[in-house]
Amino acid sequence: MATIREDGYPFIAPLWFQWDGGCFWFVIREKAQFIPNLLHNPRVCVSIATDSHPYARATIVGRAEVVAKPGESDNWKEIARQMTLRYV
């Protein structure tokens, strides 16, 4: 995911994601370096590419929304479990 730093330069971080058919979900550590970028400017770009045949890729431009902060909800745990099953 690419975010925009306060100085206007992009910041790119590779992340696990979960797609639910309407939204991309990311489970991010509260102290992740790009969190201040999201809070200052929610515009993001996500780039996804498969590494096996048939090769596919997508670039998504949109706005990120922080839906829960640590301690507010446990809803993120199911999303994180799904990501773990896919990536590990």
Side-chain angles (χ1 to χ4, degrees):
M1 176 171 38
T3 59
I4 302 169
R5 299 184 334 188
E6 286 195 41
D7 63 7
Y9 284 93
F11 182 87
I12 300 173
L15 298 171
W16 286 3
F17 70 91
Q18 184 67 27
W19 169 250
D20 71 2
C23 296
F24 283 95
W25 293 92
F26 304 92
V27 176
I28 301 168
R29 293 179 307 112
E30 184 177 23
K31 294 183 181 185
Q33 187 174 355
F34 60 88
I35 292 295
N37 302 348
L38 286 177
L39 297 176
H40 176 74
N41 185 341
R43 293 183 296 169
V44 298
C45 183
V46 176
S47 177
I48 300 168
T50 60
D51 60 358
S52 59
H53 195 270
Y55 301 107
R57 61 183 182 266
T59 301
I60 302 94
V61 176
R63 294 186 176 272
E65 178 184 350
V66 177
V67 295
K69 294 179 182 173
E72 288 182 353
S73 169
D74 286 338
N75 292 344
W76 63 272
K77 289 182 179 180
E78 177 56 25
I79 295 166
R81 186 189 71 75
Q82 293 171 17
M83 286 182 202
T84 302
L85 290 173
R86 189 169 81 247
Y87 287 102
V88 178

